[in-house]
Coordinates of all heavy atoms in Angstrom, one line a residue:
M582 N 11.8 6.8 -11.4 CA 10.4 6.4 -11.5 C 10.4 4.8 -11.4 O 11.1 4.1 -12.2 CB 9.8 6.8 -12.9 CG 8.4 6.3 -13.1 SD 7.2 7.1 -12.1 CE 5.7 6.4 -12.6
P583 N 9.7 4.3 -10.4 CA 9.6 2.8 -10.3 C 9.0 2.2 -11.6 O 8.2 2.8 -12.2 CB 8.7 2.6 -9.1 CG 8.0 3.9 -8.8 CD 8.8 5.0 -9.4
D584 N 9.4 1.0 -11.9 CA 9.0 0.4 -13.1 C 7.9 -0.7 -12.8 O 7.6 -1.0 -11.6 CB 10.1 -0.2 -13.9 CG 10.8 -1.3 -13.1 OD1 10.2 -2.0 -12.4 OD2 12.0 -1.4 -13.2
R585 N 7.3 -1.2 -13.8 CA 6.2 -2.1 -13.7 C 6.7 -3.6 -14.0 O 5.8 -4.4 -14.4 CB 5.1 -1.7 -14.6 CG 4.3 -0.5 -14.1 CD 3.1 -0.2 -15.0 NE 2.2 0.7 -14.3 CZ 2.2 2.0 -14.5 NH1 3.2 2.5 -15.2 NH2 1.3 2.8 -13.9
E586 N 7.9 -3.9 -13.8 CA 8.4 -5.2 -13.9 C 8.1 -6.1 -12.7 O 8.4 -5.6 -11.6 CB 9.9 -5.3 -14.2 CG 10.3 -5.0 -15.7 CD 9.6 -5.9 -16.7 OE1 9.6 -7.1 -16.5 OE2 8.9 -5.4 -17.5
P587 N 7.4 -7.2 -12.8 CA 7.1 -8.0 -11.6 C 8.4 -8.4 -10.9 O 9.4 -8.6 -11.5 CB 6.5 -9.3 -12.2 CG 5.8 -8.8 -13.5 CD 6.8 -7.8 -14.0
L588 N 8.3 -8.3 -9.6 CA 9.5 -8.6 -8.7 C 9.4 -10.1 -8.3 O 8.4 -10.7 -8.3 CB 9.5 -7.7 -7.4 CG 9.6 -6.2 -7.6 CD1 9.4 -5.6 -6.3 CD2 10.9 -5.8 -8.3
S589 N 10.6 -10.7 -8.1 CA 10.6 -12.0 -7.6 C 10.2 -12.1 -6.2 O 10.2 -11.0 -5.5 CB 12.1 -12.6 -7.8 OG 12.9 -11.9 -6.8
E590 N 9.9 -13.2 -5.7 CA 9.5 -13.3 -4.2 C 10.7 -12.8 -3.4 O 10.5 -12.1 -2.4 CB 9.1 -14.7 -3.8 CG 8.7 -14.8 -2.4 CD 7.6 -15.8 -2.0 OE1 7.1 -16.5 -2.9 OE2 7.3 -15.8 -0.7
A591 N 11.9 -13.2 -3.7 CA 13.0 -12.8 -2.9 C 13.2 -11.3 -2.9 O 13.5 -10.7 -1.9 CB 14.3 -13.5 -3.5
E592 N 13.0 -10.7 -4.1 CA 13.1 -9.2 -4.1 C 12.0 -8.5 -3.3 O 12.2 -7.5 -2.6 CB 13.0 -8.8 -5.6 CG 14.2 -9.0 -6.5 CD 13.9 -8.8 -8.0 OE1 12.8 -9.1 -8.4 OE2 14.8 -8.4 -8.6
I593 N 10.8 -9.1 -3.4 CA 9.6 -8.6 -2.6 C 10.0 -8.7 -1.1 O 9.9 -7.7 -0.3 CB 8.4 -9.3 -2.9 CG1 8.0 -9.1 -4.3 CG2 7.2 -8.9 -1.9 CD1 6.9 -10.0 -4.9
Q594 N 10.4 -9.9 -0.6 CA 10.7 -10.1 0.8 C 11.8 -9.2 1.2 O 11.8 -8.6 2.3 CB 11.0 -11.6 1.1 CG 9.9 -12.6 0.9 CD 8.7 -12.3 1.8 OE1 8.7 -11.5 2.7 NE2 7.6 -13.0 1.5
D595 N 12.8 -9.0 0.4 CA 13.9 -8.1 0.7 C 13.4 -6.6 0.9 O 13.8 -5.9 1.8 CB 15.0 -8.1 -0.4 CG 16.2 -7.2 -0.1 OD1 16.8 -7.5 0.9 OD2 16.4 -6.3 -0.9
A596 N 12.5 -6.2 0.0 CA 11.9 -4.9 0.1 C 11.1 -4.8 1.4 O 11.1 -3.8 2.1 CB 11.1 -4.6 -1.2
L597 N 10.3 -5.8 1.7 CA 9.4 -5.7 2.8 C 10.2 -5.7 4.1 O 9.7 -5.1 5.1 CB 8.4 -6.9 2.8 CG 7.4 -6.9 1.7 CD1 6.3 -8.0 1.9 CD2 6.7 -5.6 1.4
A598 N 11.4 -6.2 4.1 CA 12.3 -6.2 5.3 C 12.6 -4.8 5.6 O 13.0 -4.5 6.8 CB 13.5 -7.1 5.1
R599 N 12.5 -3.9 4.7 CA 12.9 -2.5 4.9 C 11.6 -1.6 5.1 O 11.7 -0.4 5.1 CB 13.7 -2.0 3.7 CG 15.1 -2.6 3.7 CD 16.1 -1.9 2.7 NE 15.5 -1.9 1.3 CZ 15.7 -3.0 0.5 NH1 16.3 -4.1 0.9 NH2 15.2 -2.9 -0.7
L600 N 10.5 -2.3 5.2 CA 9.3 -1.6 5.5 C 8.7 -2.1 6.8 O 9.3 -3.1 7.3 CB 8.2 -1.8 4.4 CG 8.5 -1.1 3.0 CD1 7.5 -1.7 2.0 CD2 8.4 0.3 3.1
D601 N 7.7 -1.5 7.3 CA 7.2 -1.9 8.6 C 5.8 -2.4 8.5 O 4.8 -1.6 8.2 CB 7.2 -0.7 9.6 CG 6.7 -1.0 11.0 OD1 6.7 -2.2 11.3 OD2 6.2 -0.1 11.7
G602 N 5.6 -3.7 8.8 CA 4.2 -4.2 8.9 C 3.6 -4.7 7.6 O 2.4 -5.0 7.6
W603 N 4.4 -4.7 6.5 CA 3.8 -5.2 5.3 C 4.1 -6.7 5.1 O 5.1 -7.2 5.4 CB 4.4 -4.4 4.1 CG 3.9 -2.9 4.0 CD1 4.4 -1.9 4.7 CD2 2.8 -2.4 3.4 NE1 3.7 -0.7 4.5 CE2 2.7 -1.0 3.6 CE3 1.9 -3.0 2.4 CZ2 1.7 -0.3 3.0 CZ3 0.9 -2.2 1.9 CH2 0.8 -0.9 2.2
T604 N 3.1 -7.4 4.5 CA 3.3 -8.8 4.2 C 3.0 -9.0 2.7 O 2.3 -8.2 2.1 CB 2.2 -9.6 5.0 OG1 0.9 -9.2 4.7 CG2 2.5 -9.4 6.5
F605 N 3.5 -10.2 2.2 CA 3.3 -10.6 0.8 C 2.4 -11.8 0.8 O 2.7 -12.9 1.4 CB 4.6 -10.9 0.1 CG 4.5 -11.4 -1.2 CD1 3.9 -10.8 -2.2 CD2 5.1 -12.7 -1.5 CE1 3.7 -11.3 -3.5 CE2 5.0 -13.2 -2.8 CZ 4.4 -12.5 -3.8
E606 N 1.3 -11.7 0.1 CA 0.3 -12.9 0.0 C -0.5 -12.7 -1.2 O -0.9 -11.6 -1.6 CB -0.6 -12.9 1.3 CG -1.3 -14.1 1.5 CD -2.1 -14.1 2.8 OE1 -2.0 -13.1 3.5 OE2 -2.6 -15.1 3.2
N607 N -0.7 -13.8 -2.0 CA -1.7 -13.8 -3.1 C -1.3 -12.6 -4.1 O -2.1 -11.9 -4.5 CB -3.1 -13.6 -2.7 CG -3.6 -14.8 -1.8 OD1 -3.1 -15.9 -2.0 ND2 -4.5 -14.4 -0.9
D608 N 0.0 -12.6 -4.5 CA 0.6 -11.6 -5.4 C 0.1 -10.2 -5.1 O -0.1 -9.4 -6.0 CB 0.0 -12.0 -6.8 CG 0.8 -13.1 -7.5 OD1 2.1 -13.1 -7.2 OD2 0.2 -14.0 -8.1
A609 N 0.1 -9.8 -3.8 CA -0.1 -8.4 -3.4 C 0.7 -8.2 -2.0 O 1.0 -9.2 -1.4 CB -1.5 -8.2 -3.2
I610 N 0.9 -7.0 -1.8 CA 1.4 -6.6 -0.4 C 0.3 -6.0 0.4 O -0.5 -5.3 -0.2 CB 2.7 -5.7 -0.5 CG1 2.4 -4.4 -1.2 CG2 3.8 -6.5 -1.2 CD1 3.6 -3.4 -1.1
H611 N 0.3 -6.3 1.7 CA -0.8 -5.9 2.5 C -0.3 -5.3 3.8 O 0.8 -5.8 4.3 CB -1.6 -7.1 2.9 CG -2.0 -8.0 1.8 ND1 -3.2 -7.8 1.0 CD2 -1.3 -9.1 1.2 CE1 -3.2 -8.8 0.1 NE2 -2.1 -9.5 0.1
K612 N -1.1 -4.4 4.3 CA -0.8 -3.8 5.7 C -2.1 -3.4 6.4 O -2.9 -2.7 5.7 CB 0.2 -2.7 5.7 CG 0.5 -2.1 7.1 CD 1.7 -1.1 7.1 CE 2.0 -0.6 8.5 NZ 3.1 0.4 8.5
T613 N -2.2 -3.8 7.6 CA -3.4 -3.3 8.4 C -3.0 -2.3 9.4 O -2.0 -2.5 10.2 CB -4.1 -4.5 9.1 OG1 -4.6 -5.4 8.0 CG2 -5.3 -4.1 9.9
Y614 N -3.7 -1.2 9.4 CA -3.4 -0.1 10.3 C -4.6 0.0 11.3 O -5.8 -0.1 10.9 CB -3.4 1.3 9.6 CG -2.3 1.3 8.5 CD1 -2.6 0.8 7.2 CD2 -1.1 2.0 8.7 CE1 -1.7 0.9 6.2 CE2 -0.2 2.1 7.6 CZ -0.5 1.5 6.4 OH 0.4 1.6 5.4
E615 N -4.3 0.2 12.6 CA -5.3 0.5 13.6 C -5.2 1.9 14.1 O -4.2 2.4 14.5 CB -5.1 -0.5 14.8 CG -5.1 -2.0 14.4 CD -6.5 -2.5 14.0 OE1 -7.5 -1.9 14.4 OE2 -6.5 -3.5 13.3
F616 N -6.4 2.5 14.2 CA -6.5 3.9 14.6 C -7.3 4.1 15.8 O -7.9 3.2 16.3 CB -7.0 4.8 13.5 CG -6.2 4.8 12.2 CD1 -6.4 3.9 11.2 CD2 -5.0 5.6 12.1 CE1 -5.6 3.8 10.1 CE2 -4.2 5.5 11.0 CZ -4.5 4.7 10.0
D617 N -7.3 5.3 16.4 CA -8.1 5.5 17.7 C -9.6 5.4 17.4 O -10.3 4.9 18.3 CB -7.7 6.9 18.2 CG -6.3 7.0 18.8 OD1 -5.7 5.9 19.0 OD2 -5.8 8.1 18.9
D618 N -10.0 5.8 16.3 CA -11.5 5.7 16.1 C -11.7 5.8 14.5 O -10.8 5.9 13.7 CB -12.2 6.8 16.8 CG -11.7 8.2 16.4 OD1 -11.2 8.4 15.3 OD2 -11.8 9.1 17.2
F619 N -13.0 5.8 14.2 CA -13.4 5.8 12.8 C -12.9 7.0 12.1 O -12.5 7.0 10.9 CB -14.9 5.6 12.7 CG -15.5 5.5 11.4 CD1 -15.2 4.5 10.6 CD2 -16.4 6.5 10.9 CE1 -15.7 4.3 9.3 CE2 -16.9 6.4 9.6 CZ -16.6 5.3 8.8
R620 N -13.1 8.2 12.8 CA -12.7 9.4 12.1 C -11.2 9.4 11.7 O -10.8 9.8 10.6 CB -12.8 10.6 13.1 CG -14.3 11.1 13.2 CD -14.2 12.4 14.1 NE -13.6 12.0 15.4 CZ -14.3 11.8 16.5 NH1 -15.6 12.0 16.5 NH2 -13.8 11.5 17.6
E621 N -10.3 8.9 12.6 CA -8.9 8.8 12.3 C -8.6 7.8 11.1 O -7.8 8.1 10.3 CB -8.1 8.3 13.5 CG -8.1 9.3 14.7 CD -7.4 10.6 14.3 OE1 -6.3 10.6 13.6 OE2 -8.0 11.7 14.6
A622 N -9.4 6.7 11.1 CA -9.3 5.7 10.0 C -9.6 6.4 8.7 O -8.9 6.3 7.7 CB -10.1 4.5 10.3
I623 N -10.7 7.1 8.6 CA -11.1 7.8 7.4 C -10.2 8.9 7.0 O -9.9 9.1 5.8 CB -12.6 8.2 7.5 CG1 -13.6 7.1 7.8 CG2 -13.0 9.0 6.3 CD1 -13.5 6.0 6.7
S624 N -9.7 9.6 7.9 CA -8.7 10.7 7.7 C -7.5 10.1 7.1 O -7.0 10.6 6.1 CB -8.4 11.4 9.1 OG -7.3 12.3 8.8
F625 N -7.1 8.9 7.6 CA -5.9 8.3 7.0 C -6.2 7.9 5.5 O -5.4 8.1 4.6 CB -5.5 7.1 7.8 CG -4.5 6.1 7.1 CD1 -3.1 6.5 7.1 CD2 -4.9 5.0 6.4 CE1 -2.2 5.6 6.5 CE2 -4.0 4.2 5.7 CZ -2.6 4.5 5.8
I626 N -7.4 7.3 5.3 CA -7.7 6.9 3.9 C -7.7 8.2 3.0 O -7.2 8.1 1.9 CB -9.1 6.3 3.8 CG1 -9.0 4.9 4.6 CG2 -9.6 6.2 2.5 CD1 -10.4 4.2 4.8
V627 N -8.2 9.3 3.4 CA -8.3 10.5 2.6 C -6.9 11.0 2.3 O -6.5 11.3 1.1 CB -9.1 11.6 3.3 CG1 -9.0 12.9 2.5 CG2 -10.6 11.2 3.4
Q628 N -6.1 11.0 3.3 CA -4.7 11.5 3.1 C -3.9 10.5 2.2 O -3.2 10.9 1.3 CB -4.0 11.6 4.4 CG -4.5 12.7 5.3 CD -3.8 12.7 6.7 OE1 -2.7 13.2 6.8 NE2 -4.4 12.0 7.7
M629 N -4.1 9.2 2.4 CA -3.5 8.2 1.6 C -3.8 8.4 0.1 O -3.1 8.2 -0.8 CB -3.8 6.8 2.1 CG -3.3 5.6 1.3 SD -4.3 5.2 -0.1 CE -5.9 4.9 0.6
A630 N -5.1 8.7 -0.1 CA -5.7 8.9 -1.5 C -4.9 9.9 -2.3 O -4.7 9.7 -3.5 CB -7.1 9.2 -1.5
F631 N -4.4 11.0 -1.6 CA -3.7 12.0 -2.3 C -2.4 11.5 -2.9 O -1.9 11.8 -4.0 CB -3.5 13.3 -1.5 CG -4.8 14.1 -1.4 CD1 -5.8 13.7 -0.5 CD2 -5.0 15.2 -2.2 CE1 -7.0 14.5 -0.4 CE2 -6.1 16.0 -2.1 CZ -7.1 15.6 -1.2
Y632 N -1.7 10.6 -2.0 CA -0.4 10.1 -2.4 C -0.6 9.1 -3.5 O 0.2 9.0 -4.5 CB 0.3 9.5 -1.2 CG 0.8 10.5 -0.3 CD1 0.0 10.8 0.9 CD2 1.9 11.3 -0.5 CE1 0.5 11.8 1.8 CE2 2.3 12.3 0.4 CZ 1.6 12.5 1.5 OH 2.0 13.5 2.4
A633 N -1.7 8.3 -3.4 CA -2.0 7.3 -4.5 C -2.3 8.0 -5.8 O -1.8 7.6 -6.8 CB -3.2 6.4 -4.0
E634 N -3.1 9.0 -5.7 CA -3.4 9.7 -7.0 C -2.2 10.4 -7.6 O -2.0 10.3 -8.8 CB -4.5 10.8 -6.7 CG -5.3 11.2 -7.8 CD -6.0 10.0 -8.5 OE1 -6.4 9.1 -7.8 OE2 -6.1 10.1 -9.8
E635 N -1.3 10.9 -6.7 CA -0.1 11.5 -7.3 C 0.8 10.5 -7.9 O 1.4 10.8 -8.9 CB 0.7 12.2 -6.0 CG 1.8 13.0 -6.4 CD 2.4 13.7 -5.2 OE1 1.7 14.1 -4.3 OE2 3.7 13.7 -5.1
A636 N 0.8 9.3 -7.4 CA 1.6 8.2 -8.0 C 0.8 7.5 -9.1 O 1.4 6.7 -9.8 CB 1.9 7.2 -6.9
N637 N -0.4 7.8 -9.3 CA -1.3 7.1 -10.3 C -1.2 5.6 -10.0 O -1.0 4.8 -10.9 CB -0.9 7.4 -11.7 CG -2.0 6.8 -12.6 OD1 -3.2 6.7 -12.3 ND2 -1.5 6.4 -13.8
H638 N -1.3 5.3 -8.8 CA -1.2 3.8 -8.3 C -2.1 3.7 -7.1 O -2.0 4.5 -6.2 CB 0.3 3.5 -8.0 CG 0.5 2.0 -8.0 ND1 0.6 1.4 -9.3 CD2 0.7 1.1 -7.1 CE1 0.8 0.1 -9.0 NE2 1.0 -0.1 -7.7
H639 N -3.1 2.7 -7.2 CA -4.1 2.8 -6.2 C -4.3 1.4 -5.5 O -4.1 0.3 -6.1 CB -5.4 3.1 -7.0 CG -5.3 4.4 -7.7 ND1 -4.8 4.4 -9.0 CD2 -5.6 5.6 -7.4 CE1 -4.8 5.7 -9.4 NE2 -5.3 6.4 -8.4
P640 N -4.6 1.4 -4.2 CA -4.8 0.2 -3.4 C -6.2 -0.3 -3.6 O -7.1 0.4 -3.9 CB -4.5 0.7 -2.0 CG -5.1 2.1 -2.0 CD -4.8 2.6 -3.4
E641 N -6.3 -1.6 -3.2 CA -7.6 -2.1 -2.7 C -7.5 -1.8 -1.2 O -6.5 -1.8 -0.6 CB -7.7 -3.6 -2.9 CG -7.8 -4.0 -4.3 CD -7.9 -5.5 -4.5 OE1 -8.3 -6.2 -3.6 OE2 -7.4 -6.0 -5.6
L642 N -8.7 -1.3 -0.7 CA -8.7 -1.0 0.8 C -9.9 -1.5 1.4 O -11.0 -1.6 0.8 CB -8.5 0.5 0.9 CG -9.5 1.5 0.4 CD1 -10.6 1.8 1.5 CD2 -8.7 2.8 0.1
E643 N -9.7 -1.9 2.7 CA -10.9 -2.3 3.5 C -10.9 -1.5 4.8 O -9.8 -1.3 5.4 CB -10.7 -3.8 3.8 CG -11.8 -4.4 4.7 CD -11.6 -5.8 5.1 OE1 -10.5 -6.4 4.7 OE2 -12.4 -6.4 5.8
N644 N -12.0 -1.1 5.2 CA -12.1 -0.3 6.5 C -13.2 -1.0 7.3 O -14.4 -1.1 6.8 CB -12.5 1.2 6.2 CG -13.1 1.8 7.4 OD1 -14.2 2.3 7.3 ND2 -12.3 1.9 8.5
V645 N -12.9 -1.3 8.5 CA -13.9 -1.7 9.5 C -13.6 -0.9 10.8 O -12.6 -1.1 11.4 CB -13.8 -3.2 9.8 CG1 -14.8 -3.7 10.9 CG2 -13.9 -4.1 8.5
Y646 N -14.6 0.0 11.0 CA -14.4 0.9 12.2 C -13.1 1.6 12.2 O -12.8 2.4 11.4 CB -14.7 0.1 13.5 CG -14.5 0.8 14.8 CD1 -15.0 2.1 15.0 CD2 -13.7 0.2 15.9 CE1 -14.8 2.8 16.2 CE2 -13.5 1.0 17.0 CZ -14.0 2.2 17.2 OH -13.7 2.9 18.3
N647 N -12.1 1.2 13.1 CA -10.8 2.0 13.3 C -9.7 1.3 12.6 O -8.5 1.6 12.8 CB -10.5 2.1 14.8 CG -10.1 0.8 15.4 OD1 -10.8 -0.2 15.1 ND2 -9.2 0.8 16.4
S648 N -10.1 0.2 11.7 CA -9.0 -0.5 11.1 C -9.1 -0.3 9.6 O -10.1 -0.2 9.0 CB -9.3 -2.0 11.4 OG -8.5 -2.9 10.5
V649 N -7.9 -0.1 9.0 CA -7.8 0.1 7.5 C -6.7 -0.9 7.0 O -5.6 -1.0 7.5 CB -7.3 1.5 7.1 CG1 -7.1 1.6 5.6 CG2 -8.3 2.5 7.6
T650 N -7.1 -1.7 6.0 CA -6.2 -2.6 5.4 C -5.9 -2.2 3.9 O -6.9 -1.9 3.2 CB -6.7 -4.0 5.4 OG1 -6.8 -4.5 6.7 CG2 -5.7 -5.0 4.6
L651 N -4.6 -1.9 3.6 CA -4.3 -1.5 2.2 C -3.6 -2.7 1.6 O -2.9 -3.5 2.2 CB -3.3 -0.3 2.2 CG -3.7 1.0 2.8 CD1 -2.6 2.0 2.6 CD2 -5.0 1.5 2.2
S652 N -4.0 -3.0 0.3 CA -3.4 -4.0 -0.5 C -3.0 -3.4 -1.8 O -3.8 -2.8 -2.4 CB -4.4 -5.2 -0.8 OG -4.8 -5.8 0.5
F653 N -1.7 -3.7 -2.2 CA -1.2 -3.2 -3.4 C -0.7 -4.3 -4.3 O 0.0 -5.2 -3.9 CB 0.0 -2.3 -3.2 CG -0.3 -0.9 -2.7 CD1 0.0 -0.5 -1.4 CD2 -0.9 0.0 -3.6 CE1 -0.3 0.7 -0.9 CE2 -1.3 1.3 -3.1 CZ -1.0 1.7 -1.8
T654 N -1.1 -4.3 -5.6 CA -0.5 -5.1 -6.7 C -0.6 -4.2 -7.9 O -1.4 -3.3 -8.0 CB -1.3 -6.4 -6.8 OG1 -0.6 -7.3 -7.7 CG2 -2.7 -6.2 -7.4
T655 N 0.2 -4.5 -8.9 CA 0.2 -3.7 -10.1 C -0.6 -4.4 -11.2 O -0.2 -5.4 -11.8 CB 1.7 -3.5 -10.6 OG1 2.4 -2.8 -9.5 CG2 1.7 -2.6 -11.8
H656 N -1.8 -3.8 -11.5 CA -2.7 -4.5 -12.4 C -2.0 -4.5 -13.8 O -2.2 -5.4 -14.6 CB -4.0 -3.7 -12.5 CG -4.6 -3.6 -11.1 ND1 -5.0 -4.7 -10.3 CD2 -4.9 -2.5 -10.4 CE1 -5.4 -4.2 -9.2 NE2 -5.5 -2.9 -9.2
D657 N -1.3 -3.4 -14.2 CA -0.7 -3.3 -15.5 C 0.4 -4.3 -15.7 O 0.9 -4.5 -16.8 CB -0.1 -1.9 -15.7 CG -1.3 -0.8 -15.8 OD1 -2.4 -1.2 -15.9 OD2 -0.9 0.3 -15.6
A658 N 0.8 -5.0 -14.6 CA 1.9 -6.0 -14.7 C 1.3 -7.4 -14.5 O 1.9 -8.3 -14.0 CB 3.0 -5.7 -13.7
G659 N -0.1 -7.5 -14.8 CA -0.7 -8.8 -14.6 C -1.0 -9.1 -13.2 O -1.1 -10.2 -12.8
S660 N -1.3 -8.0 -12.4 CA -1.6 -8.1 -11.0 C -0.5 -8.9 -10.3 O -0.7 -9.9 -9.5 CB -2.9 -8.8 -10.7 OG -4.0 -7.9 -11.2
K661 N 0.7 -8.4 -10.4 CA 1.9 -8.8 -9.7 C 2.5 -7.7 -9.0 O 2.3 -6.5 -9.3 CB 3.0 -9.4 -10.8 CG 2.5 -10.6 -11.5 CD 2.4 -11.8 -10.7 CE 2.0 -13.0 -11.6 NZ 1.6 -14.2 -10.8
V662 N 3.3 -8.0 -8.0 CA 4.0 -6.9 -7.2 C 5.2 -6.4 -7.9 O 6.0 -7.1 -8.5 CB 4.4 -7.4 -5.8 CG1 5.2 -6.4 -5.0 CG2 3.2 -7.9 -5.0
T663 N 5.2 -5.0 -8.1 CA 6.3 -4.3 -8.7 C 6.9 -3.3 -7.8 O 6.3 -3.0 -6.7 CB 5.8 -3.7 -10.0 OG1 5.0 -2.5 -9.7 CG2 5.1 -4.6 -11.0
D664 N 7.9 -2.6 -8.3 CA 8.4 -1.5 -7.5 C 7.4 -0.4 -7.3 O 7.4 0.3 -6.3 CB 9.6 -0.8 -8.2 CG 10.9 -1.6 -8.0 OD1 11.0 -2.2 -7.0 OD2 11.8 -1.5 -8.9
M665 N 6.4 -0.3 -8.1 CA 5.3 0.7 -8.0 C 4.7 0.5 -6.6 O 4.4 1.4 -5.8 CB 4.3 0.6 -9.0 CG 4.8 0.8 -10.4 SD 5.1 2.6 -10.8 CE 3.3 3.2 -10.9
D666 N 4.4 -0.7 -6.3 CA 3.7 -1.1 -5.0 C 4.6 -0.8 -3.8 O 4.1 -0.2 -2.8 CB 3.3 -2.5 -5.1 CG 2.5 -2.9 -6.3 OD1 1.4 -2.3 -6.5 OD2 2.9 -3.7 -7.1
I667 N 5.9 -1.2 -4.0 CA 6.8 -1.0 -2.8 C 7.0 0.4 -2.6 O 6.9 0.9 -1.4 CB 8.1 -1.7 -3.2 CG1 8.0 -3.2 -3.4 CG2 9.2 -1.4 -2.1 CD1 7.5 -4.1 -2.3
E668 N 7.2 1.2 -3.7 CA 7.5 2.7 -3.5 C 6.3 3.4 -2.9 O 6.5 4.2 -2.0 CB 7.9 3.3 -4.8 CG 9.3 2.8 -5.2 CD 10.4 2.9 -4.1 OE1 10.5 4.1 -3.6 OE2 11.0 1.9 -3.8
L669 N 5.1 3.1 -3.3 CA 3.9 3.8 -2.7 C 3.7 3.4 -1.3 O 3.4 4.2 -0.5 CB 2.7 3.5 -3.6 CG 1.5 4.4 -3.2 CD1 1.8 5.9 -3.0 CD2 0.4 4.2 -4.2
A670 N 4.0 2.1 -1.0 CA 3.8 1.7 0.4 C 4.8 2.5 1.3 O 4.4 3.0 2.4 CB 4.1 0.2 0.6
R671 N 6.1 2.7 0.8 CA 7.1 3.4 1.5 C 6.6 4.9 1.6 O 6.8 5.5 2.7 CB 8.4 3.3 0.9 CG 9.6 4.1 1.6 CD 10.9 3.8 1.0 NE 11.3 2.4 1.3 CZ 11.5 1.5 0.4 NH1 11.2 1.8 -0.9 NH2 11.9 0.3 0.7
T672 N 6.2 5.5 0.5 CA 5.8 6.9 0.6 C 4.7 7.1 1.6 O 4.8 8.0 2.4 CB 5.3 7.3 -0.8 OG1 6.4 7.1 -1.7 CG2 4.7 8.7 -0.9
I673 N 3.7 6.2 1.7 CA 2.5 6.4 2.5 C 3.0 6.3 4.0 O 2.7 7.1 4.9 CB 1.4 5.3 2.2 CG1 0.7 5.7 0.9 CG2 0.5 5.3 3.4 CD1 -0.1 4.6 0.3
D674 N 3.8 5.3 4.3 CA 4.3 5.1 5.7 C 5.2 6.2 6.1 O 5.1 6.8 7.2 CB 4.9 3.7 5.8 CG 3.9 2.6 6.0 OD1 2.7 2.9 6.0 OD2 4.3 1.5 6.1
D675 N 6.0 6.7 5.2 CA 6.9 7.8 5.5 C 6.2 9.1 5.7 O 6.4 9.9 6.6 CB 8.0 8.1 4.4 CG 9.0 7.0 4.3 OD1 9.1 6.2 5.2 OD2 9.8 7.0 3.3
A676 N 5.2 9.3 4.9 CA 4.4 10.6 4.9 C 3.4 10.6 6.1 O 3.2 11.7 6.7 CB 3.7 10.8 3.6
L677 N 2.7 9.5 6.3 CA 1.7 9.5 7.3 C 2.1 8.9 8.6 O 1.3 8.7 9.5 CB 0.4 8.8 6.7 CG -0.1 9.4 5.3 CD1 -1.3 8.6 4.8 CD2 -0.4 10.9 5.6
G678 N 3.3 8.5 8.7 CA 3.8 8.1 10.0 C 3.1 6.9 10.6 O 3.1 6.7 11.8
A679 N 2.5 6.1 9.7 CA 1.7 4.9 10.3 C 2.6 3.7 10.4 O 3.5 3.5 9.7 CB 0.5 4.7 9.3
Ligands
LIG653 C1 -5.0 4.2 -16.7 C2 -4.3 4.2 -15.3 O1 -3.1 5.0 -15.4 C3 -3.9 2.8 -14.9 O2 -5.0 2.0 -14.8 C4 -3.2 2.8 -13.5 C5 -4.2 3.3 -12.4 N1 -3.9 2.8 -11.0 C6 -3.2 1.6 -10.9 N2 -3.2 1.0 -9.7 C7 -2.6 -0.2 -9.5 N3 -2.5 -0.8 -8.3 N4 -2.1 -0.9 -10.5 C8 -2.1 -0.4 -11.8 O3 -1.6 -1.0 -12.7 C9 -2.7 0.9 -12.0 N5 -2.7 1.5 -13.2

């Protein structure tokens, strides 16, 4: 089970190097996904929500037409990036192939 200890910037960058398309900014990790259309974007959000709920860890998300941006930080750790954020980002990308 990932823990809620804040990661150092070096640990975060090392973890992001093993993910695709995630960036670290303002104490959160972010990724923007582009889909064919609005339906595909919303479908991704719905599917992502099941993984977030299963992990009890939730993103901030923004949707504009076919674009979805997920941002993760761990509120229980003072809104710092923890393994919870990294692991859920990996789970979502592995599961949804985005
Ligand atoms: C009570 C509930 O388990 C907590 O508030 C969970 C819910 N989802 C969460 N999501 C995120 N991103 N960070 C948290 O610390 C967090 N905590």
